[in-house]
Amino acid sequence: KGAYVDNLKKSQATIREKFAQRVSSTELLNLNDARAKAYVTDWDSIDIPKPAVSGIQAQALVKLGNIVPYIDWSPFFWTWELKGVYPKILWHPKYGEEASSIYKDAQKLIEQIIEEEAFVCRTVHGLFPANSVGDDVEIYTDETRSEVLHTLHFLRQQKKKAKGDTDYCLADFVAPKTSGKADYIGGFATTAGFEVEKFAKRFEKKGDDYSSIMVKAIGDRFAEALTEKLHKEVRDLWGYGHAETLEHVDLIKEKYRGIRPAAGYPASPDHTEKDTLWKLLDAEKHTGIQLTENFAMNPPSSVSGLYFAHPDSRYFHVGPITKDQIKDYSKRKDISIEEAEKWLSPNLGY
């Protein structure tokens, strides 16, 4: 025990030193200068489609067989620490034999899951009138845009770049309130249900840990595939998806207009923004997905995020931020600086 603890302390000291060096060597812009480098859109010429259907829409029981075609199998193999991309991994000289065996077992389980309707997949999504105000996005109760329903808060890049002169914030992709343009934003939550864990426990009770892990991995694939399927339906509702002629591989590579960033990920690193999304969609009522005290989703085989339709919208990494942005962010969210620092600790550049 003594040797283990000593080694642990040494390794953590090394990590602290490297982190301190990274922070001290990172050159950051102040918030005003970063905002001056925001992504610029010509809002007078850009196409802003109006959704055919707005407000909350829920699907209580999505047929499992309709979800399978949207599955991206590559992450499934990563679960088993098999590096590669499907379907090429099935013929990989090193991993091919094992990958093929695991894939075959997964197909058998999926047949059983569909036959028994072992998973209960649900979705909720909504498209809402919205406009940006600085680095925030206001969501309105209706098309009059006179009453704010909820406000989403975003962060801006501040790291000085060797190439490129744009410091992105997700709010850049929604028309400013001052532009007079009617824009929209969407939100969603999808799940394969608590039934994934229940089905997995059937195998655990038999001592079949392999199949139990397999079921959970498949549950994650169903949740992600359901998310992809729903996004396609939403793009059609929004009016710009009808012109798509995308193959399955194009969907996997996200070769479509728009993005669906999630709270807690690089472009929107604050997990607490999920709370606003849950209130906006009444997500727990429609899907059963609960948020833990640390804003993790339960059941685990669940996905949530926002929809942006801007044709130039993109994913990015907010990265390290300065104290002045933390102060500004805490004021906008009406929380203490200490609370903002707690939730954004991985992004603190000081």
Side-chain angles (χ1 to χ4, degrees):
K1 175 184 175 181
Y4 171 75
V5 171
D6 288 341
N7 287 333
L8 194 60
K9 287 181 177 179
K10 289 177 182 178
S11 67
Q12 290 178 342
T14 300
I15 292 171
R16 284 194 297 273
E17 290 172 7
K18 288 182 178 179
F19 178 80
Q21 290 171 2
R22 180 183 65 81
V23 170
S24 62
S25 63
T26 301
E27 189 174 355
L28 302 178
L29 301 173
N30 65 54
L31 183 56
N32 287 334
D33 288 345
R35 282 175 171 165
K37 296 176 180 291
Y39 183 79
V40 178
T41 296
D42 181 359
W43 294 106
D44 288 327
S45 62
I46 194 172
D47 168 45
I48 304 178
K50 180 180 179 180
V53 179
S54 60
I56 298 172
Q57 309 292 322
Q59 300 179 52
L61 294 168
V62 184
K63 289 187 177 181
L64 301 180
N66 293 342
I67 300 171
V68 173
Y70 290 87
I71 291 179
D72 175 8
W73 282 105
S74 295
F76 170 79
F77 295 105
W78 303 340
T79 300
W80 302 95
E81 298 183 1
L82 298 176
K83 299 177 183 179
V85 177
Y86 175 83
K88 291 182 180 179
I89 193 172
L90 300 179
W91 304 288
H92 192 282
K94 182 177 180 181
Y95 305 118
E97 185 177 351
E98 187 176 359
S100 297
S101 176
I102 290 174
Y103 180 70
K104 185 178 179 181
D105 291 341
Q107 297 309 306
K108 289 180 180 178
L109 264 177
I110 285 179
E111 288 179 9
Q112 183 180 352
I113 289 165
I114 292 175
E115 184 179 345
E116 297 183 16
E117 297 182 343
F119 298 168
V120 180
C121 293
R122 304 176 181 89
T123 77
V124 62
H125 77 273
L127 298 174
F128 306 91
N131 285 110
S132 63
V133 178
D135 292 346
D136 293 337
V137 172
E138 291 182 347
I139 298 175
Y140 306 109
T141 55
D142 54 43
E143 286 290 355
T144 66
R145 299 170 188 259
S146 59
E147 183 180 349
V148 176
L149 180 62
H150 290 288
T151 301
L152 296 167
H153 306 281
F154 299 111
L155 293 158
R156 184 170 298 281
Q157 293 177 318
Q158 288 184 272
K159 185 177 180 180
K160 190 170 183 179
K161 301 175 182 179
K163 294 182 179 180
D165 203 34
T166 303
D167 289 320
Y168 291 96
C169 172
L170 286 174
D172 295 344
F173 302 124
V174 179
K177 194 174 185 177
T178 54
S179 71
K181 301 295 181 180
D183 208 346
Y184 303 85
I185 198 169
F188 72 91
T190 63
T191 184
F194 286 101
E195 291 77 11
V196 174
E197 295 289 327
K198 291 179 181 177
F199 192 56
K201 284 182 179 178
R202 283 169 51 179
F203 295 97
E204 286 180 21
K205 290 177 181 178
K206 298 176 183 177
D208 186 355
D209 291 337
Y210 170 72
S211 294
S212 175
I213 295 170
M214 178 77 74
V215 167
K216 294 174 184 178
I218 292 173
D220 290 344
R221 291 301 88 218
F222 265 87
E224 293 285 354
L226 180 57
T227 300
E228 196 68 75
K229 179 178 182 295
L230 180 64
H231 195 184
K232 169 56 181 168
E233 294 168 359
V234 168
R235 293 196 300 276
D236 289 346
L237 281 174
W238 217 328
Y240 60 88
H242 293 295
E244 293 178 354
T245 55
L246 302 175
E247 301 292 336
H248 177 71
V249 67
D250 297 321
L251 291 175
I252 299 302
K253 294 181 178 180
E254 299 179 344
K255 290 185 177 181
Y256 41 71
R257 172 175 168 173
I259 56 174
R260 53 170 191 264
Y265 282 77
S268 179
D270 184 2
H271 281 280
T272 68
E273 285 294 293
K274 286 198 200 97
D275 186 51
T276 302
L277 179 62
W278 251 240
K279 291 174 181 175
L280 176 67
L281 299 175
D282 204 355
E284 184 171 348
K285 172 187 172 183
H286 291 297
T287 65
I289 309 172
Q290 303 163 352
L291 293 179
T292 70
E293 62 181 8
N294 289 315
F295 298 95
M297 292 177 288
N298 190 34
S301 295
S302 302
V303 184
S304 65
L306 300 170
Y307 292 128
F308 289 79
H310 192 297
D312 296 328
S313 58
R314 53 172 288 177
Y315 296 103
F316 57 88
H317 187 192
V318 167
I321 59 178
T322 60
K323 186 89 173 202
D324 64 341
Q325 181 158 198
I326 284 288
K327 289 180 179 178
D328 180 86
Y329 188 72
S330 62
K331 185 176 181 180
R332 287 188 279 131
K333 283 198 64 145
D334 194 23
I335 59 176
S336 69
I337 291 174
E338 290 74 22
E339 187 175 357
E341 289 177 327
K342 169 191 171 183
W343 292 109
L344 294 169
S345 57
N347 293 85
L348 300 183
Y350 56 92

